[in-house]
Amino acid sequence: MNTTDRTPGRRSLLKYGAALAFGIPAAAALAGCTVEDPLAKQARAGDNKNYIAGDGSVTEYAPESRGEPVDISGKLFNGKTASSEQWLGSVVILNFWYAACAPCRKEAPDLVALHEQFSSEGAKFFGVNIRDEKATAAAFERTFNIPYPSFNDKDGQVLLSMTAYVPPQAVPTTIVLDKKGRVAARILGLAEKSTLKALISDTVAE
């Protein structure tokens, strides 16, 4: 699998080094060096701003170009602790969101449908909520019948950890991890259902 831009309506191939266009120096992505990005700065500062919108850009990383397995852990809203060590052997989808984010609300039904489709194939879905209190997050999850858990990441722990591998940079952002725990793909902004489906399918099939 080559590093490919799957943005709807675009067919251009992206070389791995073109990750620079998304704020990820190729060497840093491979070596696991920390890379700062606007969303991480916002999380660290504790700003209560509106979401930083993504443009729907999609970056896919070829298996030979992926960096180290991610090393993240945090508390879920249900009180349990989850970590990347527990996910090895499974494709994992991380969706960064919060309740008042309009694109997050728009893509929620598609994420639920994809969870229903791919959970039987061993894929795991986790939300990463970067802003809300438990009650607000729970109301969102009831509204959209979200079946998978979310990290309570108001302190930015998971978000900031991910900047060492591939900066989220926008809300929503959806990241696909391969079975070795490495970043296989990232969507900045609203996740178009057919695009995310293809990314998950490709990664599950590896």
Side-chain angles (χ1 to χ4, degrees):
M1 186 190 306
N2 294 323
T3 304
T4 307
D5 180 359
R6 287 182 180 266
T7 305
R10 296 176 61 188
R11 300 180 180 179
S12 59
L13 295 180
L14 294 175
K15 300 298 183 183
Y16 182 67
L20 287 167
F22 297 91
I24 318 161
L30 289 170
C33 299
T34 299
V35 180
E36 187 68 297
D37 73 275
L39 194 60
K41 286 182 179 179
Q42 181 173 312
R44 183 176 288 115
D47 293 340
N48 195 27
K49 299 177 181 177
N50 290 330
Y51 67 90
I52 300 172
D55 60 2
S57 300
V58 181
T59 308
E60 205 173 353
Y61 301 94
E64 65 274 11
S65 300
R66 295 170 192 166
E68 295 297 315
V70 304
D71 182 10
I72 59 175
S73 64
K75 287 276 190 177
L76 303 174
F77 279 112
N78 61 18
K80 297 180 180 179
T81 298
S83 72
S84 50
E85 290 183 357
Q86 302 167 351
W87 308 335
L88 293 177
S90 299
V91 170
V92 174
I93 296 85
L94 298 174
N95 177 252
F96 290 77
W97 69 282
Y98 67 90
C101 160
C104 301
R105 302 177 71 85
K106 185 174 181 179
E107 71 181 7
D110 291 338
L111 289 166
V112 170
L114 291 171
H115 172 270
E116 292 176 356
Q117 177 177 352
F118 287 103
S119 59
S120 61
E121 299 183 47
K124 300 181 184 297
F125 284 64
F126 290 90
V128 182
N129 186 293
I130 67 168
R131 181 174 298 180
D132 298 325
E133 300 294 342
K134 183 175 181 179
T136 302
F140 179 99
E141 291 172 344
R142 287 194 301 271
T143 297
F144 294 101
N145 297 312
I146 306 295
Y148 50 84
S150 279
F151 286 93
N152 180 355
D153 201 47
K154 195 173 181 180
D155 63 0
Q157 179 180 338
V158 175
L159 172 66
L160 294 173
S161 294
M162 281 304 302
T163 64
Y165 307 95
V166 54
Q169 292 186 318
V171 180
T173 283
T174 303
I175 294 173
V176 180
L177 305 179
D178 67 15
K179 295 172 185 177
K180 296 181 180 179
R182 305 173 302 173
V183 176
R186 179 190 64 172
I187 301 175
L188 289 177
L190 180 71
E192 200 277 329
K193 184 179 179 182
S194 63
T195 300
L196 182 56
K197 178 181 177 180
L199 294 171
I200 299 172
S201 295
D202 288 351
T203 309
V204 166
E206 291 178 353

